[in-house]
Amino acid sequence: MQRYILEYFGILVGAFVFTFGLNNFIIQNGLAEGGFVGISILGLYLFKIPVGLTFLVLNIPLFLIGWKRFGREFLLKTIFGVVAVSVFAEITIGWFSMGVEDKLLASLYGGVASGVGLGIIFRYGGTTGGADIIARLVNHYWGWSMGRTLFMIDVVVIAFVAFIIGKEVAMYSLVALFVAARVIDMVVEGVSTSRAMFIISDQSTLIAEAIHDQLERGTTLLNGVGGYTGRDKQVLYVVVSREEITRVNEICRQIDPLSFIVVNDVHDVLGEGFNPLKHAKN
């Protein structure tokens, strides 16, 4: 029960942050968004229809279509997220107005606020419906990737923005969409502070022992075969903090200067020495 309360509260907070940025940066400066939110903003500009009302009405048919296709928990969280966004879209109008009149600044800060809000919603298992549900349905029935469908919907909406409001507004809106997408990734996946290292060496066992002793990090030895030599190799896999990369490199240099090392960014490292498993996203 506590988990569900936390998740729904998180969705509520995310909806507030999203709509606050929407009203105080995007709409206040005559900019637009992608997806169903973008359509709702166009309805406001052209016909003075409240954003929250249009957004809710557009999503109702999708709830009915997706009821049998998606799980009960997913749909309940989606409905909760849509209603929260619709309500906060009206409540946050004029709240703590930032007074930003520069369209570039508005698109940047609007993108950050949208990204943080949506990222929080996604991190707690919710969605804001709309294009997301359409993308899931298209993926199920026609096999298109969700990313491709979402991108196409955003392109169509921004094209309408360019045609109806103007090309300059559409370009600023694209900046906000790009910033929001990057911020969503950071919120959902976390800022990468850990690195995964693959070390290929004839002295992998000795290197692993040194890492155990000096860094107190666990390692994994994988069996591999050299593609050129055909010889059996052991590949050492270890996850370390960003600050420990230099120490691992030095260990490899001392034990086997011919080591081959690959370093990758990783996200959400769970387990001993990193984030406890009990904090994993559900």
Side-chain angles (χ1 to χ4, degrees):
M1 178 59 70
Q2 186 176 2
R3 177 175 71 89
Y4 288 113
I5 293 174
L6 178 63
E7 288 175 348
Y8 280 92
F9 179 73
I11 294 171
L12 205 62
V13 171
F16 175 81
V17 174
F18 171 62
T19 54
F20 176 82
L22 201 66
N23 280 317
N24 286 280
F25 295 110
I26 302 299
I27 295 176
Q28 192 174 76
N29 287 273
L31 303 179
E33 275 272 359
F36 276 27
V37 174
I39 296 173
S40 303
I41 292 175
L42 283 176
L44 174 69
Y45 293 160
L46 296 174
F47 308 110
K48 305 301 180 183
I49 303 174
V51 171
L53 177 62
T54 305
F55 186 67
L56 182 61
V57 170
L58 288 174
N59 273 284
I60 289 175
L62 295 178
F63 294 154
L64 300 176
I65 294 171
W67 182 261
K68 293 183 179 180
R69 172 66 189 90
F70 308 118
R72 178 175 174 270
E73 183 175 346
F74 168 81
L75 209 56
L76 286 175
K77 284 183 177 179
T78 299
I79 293 172
F80 184 79
V82 168
V83 172
V85 167
S86 300
V87 172
F88 282 134
E90 302 309 310
I91 292 178
T92 57
I93 294 175
W95 276 33
F96 309 112
S97 178
M98 299 291 104
V100 177
E101 297 180 357
D102 184 282
K103 282 185 167 53
L104 180 57
L105 279 178
S107 62
L108 292 173
Y109 281 97
V112 170
S114 296
V116 170
L118 291 174
I120 294 172
I121 291 173
F122 296 157
R123 191 171 181 88
Y124 285 95
T127 75
T128 53
D132 184 67
I133 294 181
I134 292 177
R136 288 171 185 269
L137 290 170
V138 170
N139 175 260
H140 175 69
Y141 290 109
W142 290 287
W144 288 18
S145 71
M146 288 186 61
R148 179 182 176 186
T149 305
L150 290 169
F151 175 74
M152 290 180 65
I153 293 172
D154 285 343
V155 167
V156 170
V157 174
I158 294 299
F160 272 105
V161 171
F163 180 75
I164 297 172
I165 304 178
K167 295 178 182 178
E168 185 176 319
V169 171
M171 288 189 286
Y172 280 123
S173 300
L174 282 172
V175 171
L177 281 173
F178 177 78
V179 172
R182 301 302 301 169
V183 174
I184 287 171
D185 288 341
M186 290 178 61
V187 175
V188 173
E189 299 176 357
V191 179
S192 178
T193 58
S194 300
R195 301 291 187 270
M197 301 184 71
F198 289 91
I199 303 168
I200 302 173
S201 168
D202 292 328
Q203 305 295 327
S204 295
T205 302
L206 292 177
I207 293 173
E209 290 175 354
I211 291 174
H212 299 164
D213 294 339
Q214 297 181 34
L215 273 68
E216 297 184 351
R217 291 292 189 192
T219 61
T220 301
L221 290 171
L222 310 172
N223 293 323
V225 178
Y228 179 74
T229 64
R231 294 168 48 196
D232 289 338
K233 294 266 189 183
Q234 280 194 316
V235 181
L236 176 64
Y237 178 77
V238 60
V239 177
V240 297
S241 67
R242 188 167 45 200
E243 295 77 16
E244 292 171 330
I245 295 175
T246 304
R247 295 178 64 186
V248 174
N249 289 341
E250 181 61 22
I251 289 172
C252 292
R253 188 191 68 79
Q254 292 177 358
I255 296 176
D256 182 9
L258 299 179
S259 299
F260 184 79
I261 304 172
V262 178
V263 182
N264 292 325
D265 288 344
V266 294
H267 300 281
D268 282 346
V269 183
L270 308 174
E272 186 175 353
F274 295 94
N275 295 325
L277 279 171
K278 64 181 180 180
H279 290 157
K281 298 189 294 294
N282 295 299

